[in-house]
Structures are given as structure tokens and as C-alpha cells.
Amino acid sequence: MSLITVTRQPEGHPVSFAERVQRAIHLTEELNALRYADQGLIRAKWAELTGQVVDEKFHLIPPVYSDHGVNTVVGTNVFVNQGCRFNDIGGITIGDDVMIGPNVSLLASGHPLAPAERRTGLTSAPIHIGRGVWIGASALIMQGVTIGDDAVVAAGAVVTRDVPSRAVVGGVPAAIIKMLDE
């Protein structure tokens, strides 16, 4: 994990940390006001939030929350259920064919453990979610975690370590329950 200083800027111009957060909050408020049936508008607003083109198979059920947006990259044919949180200061990469259940939190940043540093800095590390991953309802994926292709994260799991491809993990902290057969 690293102490945060700078993140990628939207549209190539510098803005302050606070401005990036305010921008993300504003855009997610607009996205969350859209009707579920308006998937084209939802995709357009998500593309504006992230600065990334999204494919026609991207499907999101509002509400959704983000603290930056511009540090999130989403593959093709991704499904995001309602109530999800993308704290993407450290970066979030989501592979193709991923399904994200309701109320999932992807937390790529946090605060230092030392009491004197908690209010003065942030820690961050990227989250990488592989192809074909299924993340169950209310799971938390913490900063610095990589989830391998075709893995399953059980509902309510708190994932603090990397998950191998084709593993099923669950619990707090998440541990391997079993490996999927071919």
C-alpha cells in the first residue's frame, strides 16, 4: 500500500483532490436519479464518471457510489447490482463478464493505522478483478487485492488477500472454501 498523493486526472487537466471527490459525488447523484429502464443513459453517465467507453452489455442498477470514478476501468459484459460502492482512489480494474451483487464495496483506499497520520493521509493500492468473477451481495474487497479469473466471492465476505483463479472464498476474513472444477 502507498500513501496517496496524486490520481489520474479527468480530461487531462489538473484538479484538486476535493474537486475530484465533488465531481464524482455530483455525477453519481445524477446517475442515481435515472430510471432503471434508461440503461443507455446510465451507461452514458457511467462513461462520463469514469472517462471510459463502456460497451452495450454493461448493465448497472442504481444507486451506485464512487469517490473519484476516473480510476475505475470496467471490461465488457459487466453487471453491477444496486447499492455498490467504488472507492477507486487506488484504482479498480474489473475484467470481462464480471457479476457484482448488491451492496458490494470495492475499497481501493483507506487510512494509515498510526493515529497521528489518520487525518492527514490516505493509503491506497489497486484492486484487480479477473474475468468471469462473481462477487456476492454485501462483500467487501479491500485495497491491494487481486481476484483471479472465474473466482466466486461469497455474500458478506471480507476479502483482504488475493484470491486464486477458480476459488470460492467466504467469511471474515475471506478464506478458500473450495476450488471449482474445470
Side-chain angles (χ1 to χ4, degrees):
M1 288 180 265
S2 63
L3 193 61
I4 270 296
T5 54
V6 177
T7 59
R8 184 167 52 90
Q9 306 297 319
E11 303 164 13
H13 59 58
V15 294
S16 74
F17 183 87
E19 289 171 324
R20 286 191 302 271
V21 171
Q22 291 168 0
R23 174 189 173 276
I25 290 170
H26 173 75
L27 290 172
T28 55
E29 284 175 343
E30 288 181 352
L31 190 155
N32 293 337
L34 297 172
R35 295 173 350 134
Y36 166 73
D38 293 332
Q39 286 298 308
L41 293 174
I42 289 170
R43 281 189 294 277
K45 189 55 70 175
W46 181 264
E48 183 179 357
L49 172 68
T50 63
Q52 304 286 320
V53 175
V54 293
D55 75 301
E56 290 294 317
K57 293 181 182 177
F58 176 79
H59 192 91
L60 184 144
I61 303 173
V64 66
Y65 307 96
S66 178
D67 60 356
H68 273 59
V70 295
N71 298 318
T72 298
V73 177
V74 176
T76 60
N77 195 33
V78 170
F79 172 74
V80 178
N81 212 319
Q82 60 194 351
C84 290
R85 179 168 308 282
F86 295 82
N87 285 17
D88 67 329
I89 292 171
I92 298 171
T93 303
I94 300 170
D96 297 342
D97 302 315
V98 170
M99 298 186 310
I100 300 175
N103 300 311
V104 166
S105 293
L106 305 176
L107 307 175
S109 62
H111 293 277
L113 290 176
E117 298 174 7
R118 286 185 198 149
R119 292 193 174 268
T120 60
L122 294 173
T123 61
S124 72
I127 294 172
H128 297 280
I129 299 172
R131 177 193 43 77
V133 171
W134 173 23
I135 303 173
S138 298
L140 273 71
I141 313 299
M142 304 306 290
Q143 59 184 319
V145 167
T146 295
I147 300 176
D149 293 347
D150 300 314
V152 176
V153 175
V158 177
V159 183
T160 60
R161 291 176 290 214
D162 291 353
V163 175
S165 293
R166 303 190 62 75
V168 177
V169 299
V172 178
I176 295 175
I177 296 169
K178 71 178 193 172
M179 298 300 293
L180 298 173
D181 297 331
E182 288 296 321

